[in-house]
Amino acid sequence: MLVLFLLGLTAAASSRKRQATGEHTMGFIGCSMAENIAQGYVAVGGTHMWGPYGTGGMVVQSWTDTNSASWRLFDQQAARYGRPAEVWVQICIFQNPGATYDEVERLVANAREHAAPGARIWITGQPLYPDNPSSCFLAGPAGPQLTVDLAKRAAADASLNVTYPGEFVLMRNEVQDGCHANAAGQRSLGEQALAFWG
Ligand SMILES: *[C@@H]1O[C@H](CO)[C@@H](O)[C@H](O)[C@H]1NC(C)=O
């Protein structure tokens, strides 16, 4: 009797865990900065979100056309894990051309199209550099903050139905080339992602 009861408790606990974390049921789009986060997320034991899948250089304009090579890459992940029930949209830019709000709206619409029906869409900018704000030469001195502002604007737009979980940050000693995270930075970003999404 007691054994059956304990077995029942164990089964209930593990099914709750699966429900809460759902391995690889969260996809993402973004650039190398999203890859840095996904690398760190896997390194610190995250399993809910996909691991890195080769999104280097894939700034906003790589994702505005729903049939782009980037979305085909996303679809390969979706074929492997199932269409994701959640998608994180990272707004990532090169200084030129930057990004417009109209382009961000298209990213959200495309994410819905490639995700499972009724999926939850999250949106963030690229990481900020609080103790060296103009550090990221690829995005330009004001670039990272611009991506965060676009993400917050999208989350405030009820018609988009997307959620802003907070900002990612990289400190000076966590950066290897002005933009990208070193190993310590990746782990820090991974912990930040875990705190947002489990
Ligand atoms: C908004 O998204 C949530 C998932 O995050 C979904 O459950 C809900 O139905 C959506 N609301 C509308 C009005 O589409």
Side-chain angles (χ1 to χ4, degrees):
M1 212 45 197
L2 178 64
V3 170
L4 283 179
F5 174 72
L6 288 175
L7 279 176
L9 275 185
T10 310
S14 67
S15 78
R16 259 201 312 279
K17 186 162 182 247
R18 269 199 304 280
Q19 244 174 9
T21 58
E23 287 201 7
H24 301 130
T25 57
M26 178 172 167
F28 69 89
I29 67 170
C31 66
S32 54
M33 300 309 305
E35 263 201 311
N36 272 187
I37 292 167
Q39 282 156 342
Y41 177 79
V42 171
V44 299
T47 58
H48 172 49
M49 187 172 76
W50 296 347
Y53 67 99
T55 52
M58 296 182 180
V59 293
V60 163
Q61 289 77 22
S62 298
W63 302 101
T64 46
D65 174 357
T66 192
N67 298 311
S68 69
S70 297
W71 280 113
R72 285 201 298 277
L73 207 57
F74 179 100
D75 290 343
Q76 284 173 18
Q77 296 297 104
R80 177 177 308 167
Y81 298 123
R83 282 193 176 207
E86 297 172 64
V87 177
W88 161 43
V89 172
Q90 182 194 54
I91 302 167
C92 185
I93 64 168
F94 289 134
Q95 180 167 15
N96 290 302
T100 65
Y101 188 64
D102 180 66
E103 288 173 319
V104 170
E105 287 183 306
R106 263 183 279 160
L107 259 54
V108 171
N110 293 345
R112 280 198 200 291
E113 190 183 316
H114 289 257
R120 178 161 199 184
I121 310 294
W122 303 88
I123 194 159
T124 76
Q126 359 183 154
L128 296 177
Y129 306 85
D131 60 357
N132 192 13
S134 60
S135 165
C136 183
F137 62 99
L138 291 169
Q145 187 62 53
L146 171 70
T147 65
V148 168
D149 292 346
L150 284 166
K152 288 181 172 171
R153 181 174 165 192
D157 182 342
S159 71
L160 289 187
N161 194 19
V162 299
T163 306
Y164 178 75
E167 59 199 37
F168 286 99
V169 296
L170 278 171
M171 305 311 286
R172 194 184 282 267
N173 62 356
E174 296 173 335
V175 173
Q176 55 158 316
D177 64 355
C179 293
H180 297 101
N182 60 23
Q186 286 180 19
R187 291 185 74 84
S188 168
L189 292 171
E191 295 286 359
Q192 294 168 50
L194 264 186
F196 291 152
W197 300 309

